[in-house]
Amino acid sequence: MNTKKYQLYLIILSVLLCFTSCQKKEEPDITHCYSCDAGPWILDTAQYTFGHDCEPFHSEHFSIYSDCSSPASKENLALLAEDFFSELIIDFQIQNIENELLFSHNYSYYIYAIKNKDLHSELSPGGCRNGFLVAAYDHEYGYSYNIPAYLHTLKHEMIHTFQFTLTDLPAGHQNWLSTWFSEGQAEFMSNSIRPQIDTVAKFDDWYAAHASHQNPISIHRFIDYPDRSRFPDYYPMFTLAYAYLLDQRYGLGFSMADIRKLFQLIKEGSNFSEAFENVFGFSVSHYRDNFDTWLREYLGKLES
């Protein structure tokens, strides 16, 4: 091939490659996935105003809404949710679903199964009084992407819904549980898959790992994180803070009955700090001030 022909060949090839790669990919039209008005997820907060695909799946205790998750995936999610619901009824010592979880005729918790929205950039999993949001079973990062993580998140968010229901508070209420407690309980009861802090060395390493790491008992609301982009860093420490309260061997030895009393006090009008001191016999600030000392002693006993 002579030089001119070769140059012409390269020009034609470049044009073809540009034409192929530079074509704008048409995004699928998913407007129908939001054609029905927003459902019960807007009852507690105006943050979630998006609609759904008009095809909810109903199980005994859940109504699964979505932006076009498949019918089979909605059913699979409902089956998983019902299993966790049965477990949490026992774990939270629920005696009467109608009275304690405010269930009435034809009532169910909602689950919004996120299928087309980007997780975390557009929408994050979260729990409210009437239900919760999670990735759809068939989301790109759904069940098959990471089964343990998916199951953990599903149970974690359901625990938040139990917390909101048992305290009968809407999201953002001033009396709501402190973040360290609500997230610590949700992580602890959902068998957190995060690396746990179970030695004194790991405890000290956590504080040394980043300048933004501070006493976890000082985190009462999301705005309290020194670096909000690193909030997941705190979850293992929140888990430890909650576990210490209930550990019957080396911890403080409280029980779910005590936790339920705390929830009831909040439901009757106490704020979290008042209810905490009533149940545990010391203030949240006292726990914060003694946290490092108490938890190092506790972890030392666990290691011995």
Side-chain angles (χ1 to χ4, degrees), residues 12 29 44-45 85 89-90 101-102 132 236 244-245 298-299:
I12 294 172
D29 182 5
D44 277 332
T45 172
F85 184 85
I89 289 296
I90 296 171
L101 295 181
L102 311 180
F132 56 97
Y244 174 65
L245 297 174
Y298 171 61
L299 292 171

Side-chain angles (χ1 to χ4, degrees), residues 37-266:
D37 290 339
W41 51 91
I42 65 170
L43 293 178
D44 277 332
T45 172
Q47 179 181 359
Y48 304 133
T49 58
F50 44 84
H52 61 95
D53 58 17
C54 310
E55 297 180 0
F57 178 89
H58 301 287
S59 63
E60 183 178 1
H61 300 106
F62 296 94
S63 293
I64 314 295
Y65 299 88
S66 182
D67 55 342
C68 288
S69 178
S70 72
S73 294
K74 291 173 185 173
E75 182 175 5
N76 286 333
L77 176 55
L79 291 171
L80 293 175
E82 290 291 352
D83 285 344
F84 284 144
F85 184 85
S86 297
E87 291 178 14
L88 293 178
I89 289 296
I90 296 171
D91 294 344
F92 276 100
Q93 300 179 1
I94 304 294
Q95 303 298 318
N96 188 304
I97 293 176
E98 287 76 16
N99 291 338
E100 296 172 62
L101 295 181
L102 311 180
F103 273 73
S104 57
H105 182 62
N106 291 330
Y107 177 78
S108 63
Y109 284 143
Y110 74 82
I111 302 177
Y112 191 93
I114 307 162
K115 177 63 169 67
N116 287 297
K117 290 181 178 293
D118 289 335
L119 289 178
H120 305 299
S121 62
E122 283 190 286
L123 190 63
S124 295
C128 295
R129 178 169 48 182
N130 301 285
F132 56 97
L133 290 74
V134 292
Y137 189 92
D138 53 348
H139 189 279
E140 178 185 3
Y141 299 114
Y143 181 80
S144 62
Y145 178 77
N146 187 329
I147 295 174
Y150 187 81
L151 295 177
H152 165 68
T153 301
L154 176 60
K155 192 172 186 180
H156 178 112
E157 300 307 339
M158 192 182 301
I159 289 166
H160 283 319
T161 294
F162 271 66
Q163 292 170 339
F164 276 110
T165 306
L166 291 170
T167 57
D168 195 21
L169 293 179
H173 194 282
Q174 62 183 3
N175 288 352
W176 174 237
L177 309 171
S178 284
T179 296
W180 71 264
F181 188 94
S182 65
E183 297 297 347
Q185 183 183 50
E187 284 289 288
F188 180 82
M189 294 183 68
S190 60
N191 301 314
S192 178
I193 60 173
R194 304 173 194 272
Q196 296 303 295
I197 298 172
D198 51 12
T199 67
V200 175
K202 290 179 181 178
F203 185 86
D204 292 336
D205 286 347
W206 183 86
Y207 275 110
H210 197 270
S212 68
H213 289 180
Q214 66 180 36
N215 190 313
I217 310 302
S218 64
I219 309 298
H220 301 290
R221 297 291 181 266
F222 187 76
I223 60 172
D224 294 330
Y225 288 107
D227 182 349
R228 296 175 198 174
S229 68
R230 303 185 67 91
F231 76 89
D233 291 2
Y234 278 79
Y235 280 40
M237 198 66 99
F238 292 161
T239 307
L240 178 63
Y242 181 84
Y244 174 65
L245 297 174
L246 272 66
D247 190 319
Q248 298 293 313
R249 187 175 184 186
Y250 296 125
L252 298 185
F254 290 92
S255 67
M256 179 52 71
D258 298 305
I259 303 300
R260 289 294 307 278
K261 180 182 177 182
L262 181 146
F263 288 162
Q264 184 62 31
L265 288 170
I266 293 175

Side-chain angles (χ1 to χ4, degrees), residues 7-41:
Q7 290 175 338
L8 179 61
Y9 168 78
L10 290 178
I11 292 172
I12 294 172
L13 180 61
S14 298
V15 171
L16 289 173
L17 287 174
C18 181
F19 179 80
T20 302
S21 62
C22 298
Q23 287 294 302
K24 184 178 180 180
K25 294 181 180 179
E26 289 189 11
E27 295 292 335
D29 182 5
I30 58 171
T31 55
H32 65 285
C33 296
Y34 306 96
S35 55
C36 277
D37 290 339
W41 51 91

